[in-house]
Amino acid sequence: MGSSPADERAVRRRDIAESRWPMVGALLAALVLTALIPHPTSPFMHYFIPGVEVALLVVLIAADPGKIDRRGTWPRLVSLSLVTVLILGALWATGGLIHQLVEGTGPVANDAETLLLTGAIVWASNNIAFSLLYWDLDSGGSAARLQYPPHYPDFAFPQQLNPELAPPGWRPLFADYLYLGFTNAMAFSPTDVMPFALWAKAAMTVQSLISLVIVGLVVARAVNAFT
């Protein structure tokens, strides 16, 4: 009997190195969002940080193009540096937005349309950044999860908690971590993916707090601006 399409997808997910392009697409989306922020707080955030991210991304693709299957020191350091810069950029944008809302000065704080657009961009950028953080750190990264499947993962997905829900050897891909990042930001807590490692719990806590502050301040200020 021939294998079904579902069986073929299961084999690809289990045994074949993960494509880098979904991660690249998410990073480019974050860069575009950064460029769309109206009235950026500083040229440093608007130009320098995205420039560094693009440079690191080019180096990373050159070091390990296409499929993520190398665990060398250089690709790993570049990947971690890229995620670190992305997180710092998201936190910088968040801090700038919060400062303007608390001070109540500038077009972002006093124009409802600009406020909602900026708040949505900063919120989404944070979620993408934390998704990449979870994806890159969980059990040593994508290449490590492929070559040395962890017995005790940092994040436990439903398919890992209940093996009957997935084929043997199932492992999460970037889209799973993107889902994790956005659902954690919307629920302000874990949903169906459980953090086991201490760093994972800390990162999800920070992301939830950032999301809560952004949503709370933006909505409160927007209501005040509309009225």
Side-chain angles (χ1 to χ4, degrees), residues 6-7 10 13-14 157-171:
D7 293 333
R13 175 176 281 241
R14 182 187 64 205
F157 289 80
Q159 295 89 335
Q160 295 168 319
L161 293 173
N162 188 350
E164 295 181 357
L165 297 178
W170 182 93
R171 62 189 173 93

Short mmCIF file of all heavy atoms in Angstrom, two decimals, residues 6-7 10 13-14 157-171:
data_model
loop_
_atom_site.label_atom_id
_atom_site.label_comp_id
_atom_site.label_asym_id
_atom_site.label_seq_id
_atom_site.Cartn_x
_atom_site.Cartn_y
_atom_site.Cartn_z
N ALA A 6 -0.75 12.54 4.30
CA ALA A 6 -0.51 12.87 5.71
C ALA A 6 0.75 12.17 6.21
O ALA A 6 1.54 12.77 6.97
CB ALA A 6 -1.72 12.45 6.55
N ASP A 7 0.95 10.91 5.80
CA ASP A 7 2.15 10.19 6.21
C ASP A 7 3.40 10.84 5.63
O ASP A 7 4.44 10.93 6.30
CB ASP A 7 2.08 8.73 5.76
CG ASP A 7 1.00 7.95 6.49
OD1 ASP A 7 0.67 8.34 7.63
OD2 ASP A 7 0.48 6.99 5.91
N ALA A 10 4.22 13.88 7.60
CA ALA A 10 4.77 13.51 8.90
C ALA A 10 6.25 13.16 8.78
O ALA A 10 7.07 13.53 9.62
CB ALA A 10 3.99 12.33 9.48
N ARG A 13 8.31 16.36 8.30
CA ARG A 13 8.44 17.13 9.54
C ARG A 13 9.40 16.43 10.50
O ARG A 13 10.16 17.08 11.21
CB ARG A 13 7.07 17.29 10.19
CG ARG A 13 7.11 17.97 11.56
CD ARG A 13 5.72 18.18 12.12
NE ARG A 13 5.07 19.33 11.51
CZ ARG A 13 4.66 20.41 12.18
NH1 ARG A 13 4.89 20.50 13.47
NH2 ARG A 13 4.06 21.40 11.57
N ARG A 14 9.42 15.11 10.50
CA ARG A 14 10.21 14.37 11.46
C ARG A 14 11.67 14.24 11.06
O ARG A 14 12.57 14.37 11.89
CB ARG A 14 9.60 12.98 11.64
CG ARG A 14 10.29 12.09 12.68
CD ARG A 14 9.69 10.70 12.64
NE ARG A 14 9.94 10.06 11.34
CZ ARG A 14 9.18 9.09 10.84
NH1 ARG A 14 8.08 8.71 11.47
NH2 ARG A 14 9.49 8.54 9.68
N PHE A 157 4.57 20.91 23.39
CA PHE A 157 3.42 21.12 22.54
C PHE A 157 2.42 19.98 22.77
O PHE A 157 2.79 18.91 23.26
CB PHE A 157 3.84 21.18 21.08
CG PHE A 157 4.59 22.43 20.72
CD1 PHE A 157 5.94 22.58 21.02
CD2 PHE A 157 3.94 23.49 20.09
CE1 PHE A 157 6.62 23.74 20.70
CE2 PHE A 157 4.61 24.65 19.76
CZ PHE A 157 5.95 24.78 20.07
N PRO A 158 1.15 20.18 22.41
CA PRO A 158 0.15 19.13 22.63
C PRO A 158 0.55 17.79 22.01
O PRO A 158 0.28 16.73 22.58
CB PRO A 158 -1.12 19.70 21.98
CG PRO A 158 -0.93 21.17 22.02
CD PRO A 158 0.54 21.41 21.85
N GLN A 159 1.18 17.83 20.83
CA GLN A 159 1.58 16.60 20.16
C GLN A 159 2.67 15.86 20.94
O GLN A 159 2.83 14.65 20.77
CB GLN A 159 2.08 16.90 18.74
CG GLN A 159 1.01 17.44 17.81
CD GLN A 159 0.90 18.95 17.86
OE1 GLN A 159 1.26 19.56 18.86
NE2 GLN A 159 0.41 19.55 16.81
N GLN A 160 3.42 16.58 21.78
CA GLN A 160 4.44 15.93 22.61
C GLN A 160 3.85 15.44 23.92
O GLN A 160 4.28 14.41 24.45
CB GLN A 160 5.58 16.92 22.87
CG GLN A 160 6.34 17.31 21.61
CD GLN A 160 7.26 18.50 21.81
OE1 GLN A 160 6.89 19.46 22.49
NE2 GLN A 160 8.46 18.44 21.24
N LEU A 161 2.87 16.16 24.43
CA LEU A 161 2.23 15.74 25.67
C LEU A 161 1.31 14.54 25.45
O LEU A 161 1.15 13.71 26.35
CB LEU A 161 1.42 16.90 26.25
CG LEU A 161 2.23 18.10 26.76
CD1 LEU A 161 1.31 19.25 27.13
CD2 LEU A 161 3.09 17.70 27.94
N ASN A 162 0.74 14.46 24.27
CA ASN A 162 -0.15 13.35 23.93
C ASN A 162 0.29 12.76 22.60
O ASN A 162 -0.14 13.23 21.54
CB ASN A 162 -1.60 13.81 23.86
CG ASN A 162 -2.57 12.65 23.72
OD1 ASN A 162 -2.17 11.50 23.50
ND2 ASN A 162 -3.86 12.94 23.84
N PRO A 163 1.17 11.75 22.60
CA PRO A 163 1.72 11.20 21.36
C PRO A 163 0.66 10.67 20.40
O PRO A 163 0.92 10.54 19.20
CB PRO A 163 2.63 10.06 21.85
CG PRO A 163 2.98 10.44 23.26
CD PRO A 163 1.75 11.12 23.79
N GLU A 164 -0.55 10.38 20.89
CA GLU A 164 -1.59 9.86 20.01
C GLU A 164 -2.09 10.92 19.03
O GLU A 164 -2.75 10.59 18.05
CB GLU A 164 -2.77 9.34 20.85
CG GLU A 164 -2.41 8.14 21.72
CD GLU A 164 -3.60 7.64 22.51
OE1 GLU A 164 -4.68 8.27 22.41
OE2 GLU A 164 -3.47 6.62 23.23
N LEU A 165 -1.76 12.19 19.28
CA LEU A 165 -2.22 13.27 18.42
C LEU A 165 -1.32 13.49 17.21
O LEU A 165 -1.66 14.31 16.33
CB LEU A 165 -2.31 14.58 19.21
CG LEU A 165 -3.31 14.60 20.38
CD1 LEU A 165 -3.24 15.94 21.10
CD2 LEU A 165 -4.73 14.34 19.88
N ALA A 166 -0.17 12.83 17.16
CA ALA A 166 0.78 13.08 16.07
C ALA A 166 1.58 11.82 15.78
O ALA A 166 1.66 10.92 16.61
CB ALA A 166 1.72 14.22 16.45
N PRO A 167 2.19 11.73 14.59
CA PRO A 167 3.03 10.59 14.26
C PRO A 167 4.26 10.53 15.17
O PRO A 167 4.66 11.55 15.75
CB PRO A 167 3.44 10.84 12.80
CG PRO A 167 2.48 11.86 12.30
CD PRO A 167 2.08 12.68 13.48
N PRO A 168 4.89 9.38 15.30
CA PRO A 168 6.10 9.27 16.12
C PRO A 168 7.20 10.22 15.61
O PRO A 168 7.39 10.37 14.41
CB PRO A 168 6.51 7.80 15.93
CG PRO A 168 5.25 7.10 15.55
CD PRO A 168 4.46 8.07 14.74
N GLY A 169 7.89 10.83 16.54
CA GLY A 169 8.98 11.72 16.17
C GLY A 169 8.56 13.12 15.78
O GLY A 169 9.37 13.88 15.27
N TRP A 170 7.29 13.47 15.99
CA TRP A 170 6.82 14.81 15.63
C TRP A 170 7.69 15.85 16.33
O TRP A 170 8.08 15.71 17.48
CB TRP A 170 5.38 14.99 16.07
CG TRP A 170 4.77 16.32 15.70
CD1 TRP A 170 4.04 16.60 14.59
CD2 TRP A 170 4.82 17.54 16.46
NE1 TRP A 170 3.65 17.91 14.61
CE2 TRP A 170 4.12 18.52 15.73
CE3 TRP A 170 5.42 17.89 17.67
CZ2 TRP A 170 3.97 19.83 16.19
CZ3 TRP A 170 5.29 19.20 18.13
CH2 TRP A 170 4.57 20.15 17.39
N ARG A 171 8.00 16.95 15.61
CA ARG A 171 8.74 18.06 16.21
C ARG A 171 8.16 19.37 15.72
O ARG A 171 7.67 19.47 14.60
CB ARG A 171 10.24 17.97 15.89
CG ARG A 171 10.55 18.06 14.40
CD ARG A 171 12.03 17.74 14.14
NE ARG A 171 12.30 17.65 12.71
CZ ARG A 171 12.71 18.67 11.97
NH1 ARG A 171 12.93 19.85 12.53
NH2 ARG A 171 12.94 18.52 10.68
#
